[in-house]
Amino acid sequence: PDLSNKIKIGYRVNNAYSIGVEHYSELGQLRRIGPLNQQSQQTFAVVDFKRKGKDFNIGIGHGWNNFSERLVLKGIVSFPFD
């Protein structure tokens, strides 16, 4: 199995919006974690907001080494199962 970590720091602007920074790291195999310069490392500027009962997370990210995509756009939509 592979090991990864994800960290998010955010600031709630109001009840509907928050802004933040997310960092994603792919560390490698659980039994053999690779060197830092050979791990995928990406940092995103993100906005979270709510619309019509759904939560949205959109962001633009930057990869920090040759094992990461240089520019990434991401979007996540979540909704409750009521």
Side-chain angles (χ1 to χ4, degrees):
D2 289 340
L3 182 63
S4 64
N5 66 23
K6 296 160 181 64
I7 299 169
K8 180 176 184 175
I9 298 172
Y11 173 76
R12 183 177 296 181
V13 177
N14 58 36
N15 286 339
Y17 288 91
S18 65
I19 57 175
V21 176
E22 297 177 359
H23 184 78
Y24 294 77
S25 300
E26 299 293 332
L27 303 176
Q29 293 182 353
L30 186 58
R31 294 183 182 204
R32 186 175 39 176
I33 295 176
L36 186 62
N37 66 350
Q38 294 179 7
Q39 301 169 3
S40 175
Q41 303 282 330
Q42 297 173 319
T43 304
F44 291 84
V46 296
V47 175
D48 297 307
F49 59 95
K50 298 175 186 268
R51 280 281 150 75
K52 299 182 181 178
K54 297 176 184 70
D55 294 328
F56 295 85
N57 170 279
I58 58 172
I60 184 166
H62 173 72
W64 295 104
N65 58 29
N66 292 333
F67 291 86
S68 308
E69 297 291 331
R70 287 289 169 212
L71 179 65
V72 179
L73 300 175
K74 75 173 196 105
I76 299 172
V77 179
S78 58
F79 51 94
F81 290 104
D82 290 338

